[in-house]
Each structure stands twice: as structure tokens, then as C-alpha cells.
Amino acid sequence: MKTVMRNSALLLAVSAVSAQTGVNPDITIPATDGSLPAPGSNGCAEGYFPSTDTVIFTVPYTYKEVLSIIGNYTNLTWSGSPDNSVTTNNSAALKSNDWTPGSARFYDIDGAHVIETITTYEKPADGPYIEIHTLAPLTIPAANLSAYSDYDAQNWTSICGGKATYANFTIHFCATNATLGAGLLHSIHLADAVTVGKFLGGNNFTTCEALESNSTTPSGSSTTSGMLPSSTSSMTPITNAAVGQSVGGIFGFVGAFAGFAALAAAL
Ligand SMILES: *[C@@H]1O[C@H](CO)[C@@H](O)[C@H](O)[C@H]1NC(C)=O
Ligand SMILES: *[C@@H]1O[C@H](CO)[C@@H](O)[C@H](O)[C@H]1NC(C)=O
Ligand SMILES: *[C@@H]1O[C@H](CO)[C@@H](O)[C@H](O)[C@H]1NC(C)=O
Ligand SMILES: *[C@@H]1O[C@H](CO)[C@@H](O)[C@H](O)[C@H]1NC(C)=O
Ligand SMILES: *[C@@H]1O[C@H](CO)[C@@H](O)[C@H](O)[C@H]1NC(C)=O
Ligand SMILES: *[C@@H]1O[C@H](CO)[C@@H](O)[C@H](O)[C@H]1NC(C)=O
Ligand SMILES: *[C@@H]1O[C@H](CO)[C@@H](O)[C@H](O)[C@H]1NC(C)=O
Ligand SMILES: *[C@@H]1O[C@H](CO)[C@@H](O)[C@H](O)[C@H]1NC(C)=O
Ligand SMILES: *[C@H]1O[C@@H](CO)[C@H](O)[C@@H](O)[C@@H]1NC(C)=O
């Protein structure tokens, strides 16, 4: 009798926590081995919902310059993690900088313990740089959000005859609140891309032509309402006026996350 009572008290406590944080009590967070939960009928574990977010951003800097900022899996200064705050279980790659599938990186940010494991890593001298990793389940307490991802991809491709670099951040994820997750991930990835440009000098991309007449003030206007290239178009550079898309129409939604600006900058 006593055991039953204690158990139901525990159950109550657990469901109270779940209601507050949206955490599925079957999922251990952090999953220290970096593993992902088994998918349920909607593709996600119980209590989680699937979504996708894409951020497209072009920086007016060469692929080589971009790689000098992003080309080390454990150096996330461009993503707001201070030097040497990111660890890895592939210590050999720290020296060789030759990252391989299975390599995990670990860092803590805003109360979340992040574990990201590489599934694809390609870094040819002329690009594109392809880095795809999984994101083990984590909780961001301040955002009341738990999420994980089996596909968190970056593609950095040289464009404008080598004078600029086109970035595509695409994540497929499961979150306790898909709308909130998409908005937050969008802010984070956009801030990351903008930071790469800032680190390299802070010029904004407008058009390839503006880069030909290499004046420091871009001559093109940035008011063009950019379009995402259609799947049939060749590598048409787009202006950063259109920085992304999200399932659920996240366009113009980032502003709604002003409260998370610091969080986004930090992540
Ligand atoms: C936290 O998120 C869960 C799942 O989205 C939701 O059910 C709950 O109401 C939220 N709690 C608060 C305090 O906002
Ligand atoms: C990390 O990358 C930045 C450039 O983004 C560089 O200034 C810094 O020295 C690098 N840190 C380490 C420890 O390599
Ligand atoms: C990669 O970054 C880590 C710190 O984040 C640093 O310890 C390591 O030396 C860097 N590797 C290379 C090859 O620059
Ligand atoms: C990377 O992006 C470029 C430009 O959009 C595209 O041509 C290429 O196929 C992409 N690579 C991968 C592996 O998605
Ligand atoms: C961005 O990359 C994803 C794959 O990660 C691809 O499906 C999508 O078409 C790309 N979008 C653009 C606009 O390049
Ligand atoms: C999910 O997040 C959105 C955006 O922050 C919010 O409006 C909505 O109330 C949240 N839903 C739940 C169930 O907490
Ligand atoms: C680039 O764009 C940002 C945001 O619109 C702006 O704050 C910044 O001043 C611009 N930088 C330059 C060099 O024009
Ligand atoms: C413009 O580019 C040319 C050739 O790449 C270079 O010699 C010149 O110094 C550049 N001018 C400026 C103002 O950057
Ligand atoms: C990191 O190392 C690789 C290769 O040894 C393993 O396959 C991963 O399981 C391991 N990841 C974690 C989170 O420890």
C-alpha cells in the first residue's frame, strides 16, 4: 500500500514536470551516448512533433575565408560558444582537423547540454563544405522546449566566380512545440550565418556584380525582395532579403522571438 502511494506520488511529480517542460519522461535528457529516440507514428517520439527549417544566407567572402571560420568542428566561436568550451570524443581530429562520421562534440549553452554527432563531413578545397550531424535530445529550460534532430545540415558553396559563399542551413527536427522550435532554430542559424560575415569584415552581400567592382560600399540595393532559387534554376545567388523558410510559414516570424535574441545570439 505504501509502495503504491509512493509510486503514484512519484508519477504525479513526473507528470507535473512533463506538463511544465513538455518532456517525455521516457526520454533521458541528456542522452549521454548521443543517441536518438525511436520514431513514433508521426516520425517523432511521443510528445514530439516534426518540422523543418531552412536558412539561406550569402556572405561576400571566399569559400576559403569562410572555411577559416567554420572548418573546425569543435571551434564554434562563430556560433557563440567561447574558445575551448566545446569538447569532442575524437581527440585525434583536434590536431588533424579531419572530422569523420561518428565524431561527437559536446557543449553547454543556456542550460542545455548539446551532443552533436557527425553523419556526413566533406571539406574539399573548392567546396562545397557539407557538414551534417544529429542533435541528441536536449531541453532549453528558458524556452520550455525539448528537441532533437536526425538531420542538421550545413552546405557552404562557392558562388560569384569564387567571390562569395552561399550557405544553406537545413534542419529536420522533432520538438515538443514545433512552431517554437522552428522559430528558435531559425534565429540561431541566421545569427550564426550573419556572424560568419561579421568575423570576415561585416560586408553584406547584394549581387555578384557589386563584388566585381570591389568597392567597400556595395553598390546594389538590398531592397530587392529575393526569391529562393527554384529547384530547376542554376546557382542563382539570392539577396539576403529572403533569408529563409520554415514549414509553417516562419517568414517574418523571427521578430516574434525577440525575447530569445540573447539566447539565439548565444546558441
Ligand atoms: C511547456 O510546453 C508544453 C509542451 O509544448 C506545454 O504543454 C506547456 O503548457 C508549457 N508550459 C508552460 C509553463 O508554458
Ligand atoms: C577558433 O576560430 C576563430 C575564428 O573564428 C579563431 O580566431 C580562433 O583562434 C579559433 N580558436 C582555436 C582554439 O583554434
Ligand atoms: C580546433 O578547435 C579546437 C578548439 O575548439 C582546438 O583545440 C584545435 O586545436 C583546433 N584544431 C585546429 C586544427 O585548428
Ligand atoms: C550544396 O549546395 C549546392 C548549391 O545549392 C548544391 O549544388 C549541392 O548539390 C549541395 N550539396 C549537397 C550535398 O546537398
Ligand atoms: C537546402 O538544403 C536542403 C538539403 O539540406 C535541400 O533540400 C534544399 O533544397 C536546399 N535549399 C536551397 C534553397 O538551396
Ligand atoms: C508553441 O509555441 C508558440 C510560439 O511560441 C506559442 O504561441 C504556442 O502557444 C505554443 N504551444 C504550446 C502548446 O505551448
Ligand atoms: C549589413 O547589414 C546589417 C543588417 O541590415 C547592417 O546593420 C550593417 O550595417 C550592414 N553592413 C554594412 C557594411 O553595410
Ligand atoms: C579590387 O580587386 C582588384 C583585383 O582583384 C585588386 O587589385 C584591387 O586592389 C581591389 N580594390 C579594392 C579597393 O579592394
Ligand atoms: C564518439 O565516438 C564514436 C567513434 O568512436 C562513437 O561511435 C560514438 O558513439 C561516440 N559518441 C559519443 C556521444 O560518445
Side-chain angles (χ1 to χ4, degrees):
M1 199 52 180
K2 248 192 173 152
T3 318
V4 170
M5 272 174 68
R6 217 183 291 135
N7 281 350
S8 40
L10 185 69
L11 256 177
L12 257 176
V14 167
S15 55
V17 168
S18 311
Q20 202 202 342
T21 62
V23 175
N24 177 337
D26 294 339
I27 298 176
T28 310
I29 294 177
T32 49
D33 64 356
S35 63
L36 304 180
S41 56
N42 69 356
C44 296
E46 195 188 336
Y48 287 72
F49 304 91
S51 189
T52 293
D53 182 70
T54 293
V55 167
I56 302 294
F57 198 82
T58 300
V59 292
Y61 297 99
T62 67
Y63 171 75
K64 203 175 163 200
E65 288 173 299
V66 166
L67 265 198
S68 76
I69 304 296
I70 65 162
N72 178 347
Y73 192 60
T74 54
N75 184 333
L76 287 178
T77 52
W78 61 282
S79 185
S81 285
D83 248 349
N84 302 313
S85 63
V86 180
T87 59
T88 180
N89 71 348
N90 184 354
S91 49
L94 283 173
K95 215 168 214 162
S96 68
N97 207 16
D98 183 14
W99 299 93
T100 46
S103 306
R105 69 181 171 204
F106 312 89
Y107 54 100
D108 289 282
I109 204 140
D110 289 294
H113 184 59
V114 184
I115 305 173
E116 293 171 323
T117 304
I118 294 175
T119 52
T120 301
Y121 196 83
E122 294 166 14
K123 198 165 49 180
D126 297 328
Y129 169 82
I130 307 291
E131 189 272 281
I132 308 176
H133 58 257
T134 64
L135 171 66
L138 54 72
T139 295
I140 301 169
N144 182 30
L145 184 80
S146 295
Y148 63 91
S149 165
D150 65 355
Y151 182 91
D152 189 354
Q154 286 170 45
N155 175 338
W156 295 80
T157 299
S158 180
I159 60 165
C160 303
K163 288 194 159 70
T165 309
Y166 174 96
N168 175 339
F169 290 72
T170 292
I171 182 168
H172 302 164
F173 65 95
C174 294
T176 47
N177 181 332
T179 315
L180 181 63
L184 198 52
L185 288 161
H186 196 85
S187 308
I188 291 164
H189 288 153
L190 181 55
D192 288 348
V194 168
T195 301
V196 170
K198 277 191 184 152
F199 277 14
L200 291 170
N203 285 333
N204 295 317
F205 177 80
T206 52
T207 63
C208 289
E209 290 67 35
L211 289 170
E212 296 301 333
S213 65
N214 51 0
S215 57
T216 44
T217 317
S219 53
S221 154
S222 61
T223 54
T224 319
S225 155
M227 298 292 285
L228 292 170
S230 78
S231 52
T232 52
S233 74
S234 59
M235 198 51 242
T236 314
I238 60 161
T239 71
N240 289 327
V243 286
Q245 60 182 9
S246 251
V247 168
I250 296 299
F251 260 132
F253 188 72
V254 175
F257 288 85
F260 291 128
L263 189 65
L267 279 162

